[in-house]
Amino acid sequence: MVTTLYDLFQRALIVFPTAPFLGARQYSTLRHELGEYRWRTTREIAELIDWFGSGLDQLYDKHVGRAPGFSPLHQTPLGIYSKNRIEWVVAEFAGFRARRFSVALYDTLSSDCVEHIVNHAQIPVVVCSVDKVATLLALKCTMPSLRVIISMDSLQGKARGSVHSTMSSTAIRALYKHAEGLGVVLLDMAAVVEMGRANISVPKPPNASDICTICYTSGTTGPQKGVVSTHGNYVSAAKSLYHSMPLYHSTYLS
């Protein structure tokens, strides 16, 4: 029975295991232009979610589980800070795998807004594009809950095929040094995936009544307010769409 977004994805894995699930255009660092789409199947993304989710479990156990007031019985947030991309979806569903809820930090937010949301939601881990790492480190002194930053892009020099990675090796070394000085754990997504692949954890799926995501308002009339939505809310919306307008074999552009 499908009652959560985690369940919905598992159903898609059974029904459409080899179907193209997520795709992105590949970026040529030589020609400085976008090329053809590269698609990954539902099964490939599911595998990546399991690996990254297992790595997240290790990071939360080590760096968040020891935080004052933390209880494993409670849900914990996972911040995601980037433009829309494949890694955004992978990070969110990797969080769902262990009852974590997503908190979006919009790509266009000012530093004040980022600080407010991280503090208000008490976010300990943020997955972000590499261009957002410096922003988070600059705010760390006013965001005590932040313990781990995971770059979607490679921190081992320039990433191939990513329009988001334009940092030099010197700049990346400076980020590591800054993070170490602040007591922040800085890794890239590939490193977390390898951690998880070496030690797969058992999923602890959410319930329908669990928080799925907290979406913050734009803040035009004051401090941003967090809108809490449950897994049951989103599944109800998905079921309504399914019955009113089935979308098999369609492509969604984000």
Side-chain angles (χ1 to χ4, degrees):
M1 184 176 180
V2 174
T3 62
T4 67
L5 288 190
Y6 179 86
D7 296 336
L8 191 61
F9 179 73
Q10 295 304 312
R11 179 183 180 278
L13 178 59
I14 293 170
V15 179
F16 308 112
T18 59
F21 181 59
L22 294 174
R25 296 178 70 184
Q26 299 302 289
Y27 181 70
S28 170
T29 53
L30 295 176
R31 297 190 298 274
H32 301 288
E33 63 183 22
L34 290 164
E36 297 298 316
Y37 276 89
R38 177 177 176 265
W39 290 89
R40 302 187 200 183
T41 66
T42 312
R43 183 180 290 141
E44 288 172 332
I45 294 297
E47 190 173 57
L48 190 57
I49 287 170
D50 275 342
W51 292 339
F52 185 63
S54 296
L56 278 180
D57 289 345
Q58 295 176 45
L59 291 172
Y60 271 84
D61 287 346
K62 183 175 182 180
H63 302 288
V64 181
R66 297 176 182 176
F70 173 79
S71 169
L73 298 177
H74 298 157
Q75 286 186 264
T76 51
L78 173 66
I80 309 177
Y81 188 17
S82 79
K83 295 179 179 179
N84 291 353
R85 51 190 291 187
I86 288 175
E87 292 83 1
W88 210 112
V89 180
V90 170
E92 183 173 48
F93 275 82
F96 293 161
R97 192 178 178 274
R99 292 186 66 231
R100 298 183 184 103
F101 58 89
S102 64
V103 180
L105 295 160
Y106 310 123
D107 177 67
T108 54
L109 286 179
S110 67
S111 295
D112 288 347
C113 293
V114 171
E115 178 185 344
H116 170 75
I117 293 172
V118 170
N119 287 332
H120 190 263
Q122 290 292 287
I123 300 172
V125 179
V126 175
V127 182
C128 65
S129 50
V130 71
D131 58 302
K132 303 302 182 187
V133 175
T135 299
L136 292 169
L137 291 176
L139 294 169
K140 165 57 185 169
C141 291
T142 56
M143 301 189 307
S145 66
L146 181 62
R147 288 172 167 77
V148 180
I149 298 173
I150 303 170
S151 170
M152 296 174 177
D153 306 292
S154 174
L155 294 177
Q156 310 305 315
K158 291 185 178 180
R160 295 289 179 264
S162 174
V163 70
H164 309 278
S165 262
T166 56
M167 283 192 150
S168 66
S169 297
T170 302
I172 289 172
R173 284 196 297 271
L175 289 178
Y176 272 119
K177 186 175 181 180
H178 192 186
E180 184 180 6
L182 293 169
V184 173
V185 177
L186 176 61
L187 313 93
D188 59 25
M189 208 162 184
V192 180
V193 166
E194 287 307 310
M195 288 167 52
R197 193 192 331 227
N199 187 15
I200 298 290
S201 58
V202 177
K204 300 177 180 66
N207 303 309
S209 59
D210 280 343
I211 299 171
C212 178
T213 188
I214 298 181
C215 292
Y216 279 79
T217 58
S218 61
T220 52
T221 59
Q224 297 100 318
K225 302 167 186 68
V227 179
V228 180
S229 299
T230 67
H231 280 271
N233 294 148
Y234 282 108
V235 169
S236 293
K239 287 181 177 179
S240 297
L241 181 64
Y242 171 78
H243 289 296
S244 62
M245 187 172 58
L247 293 175
Y248 285 111
H249 310 297
S250 59
T251 300
Y252 173 71
L253 176 64
S254 176

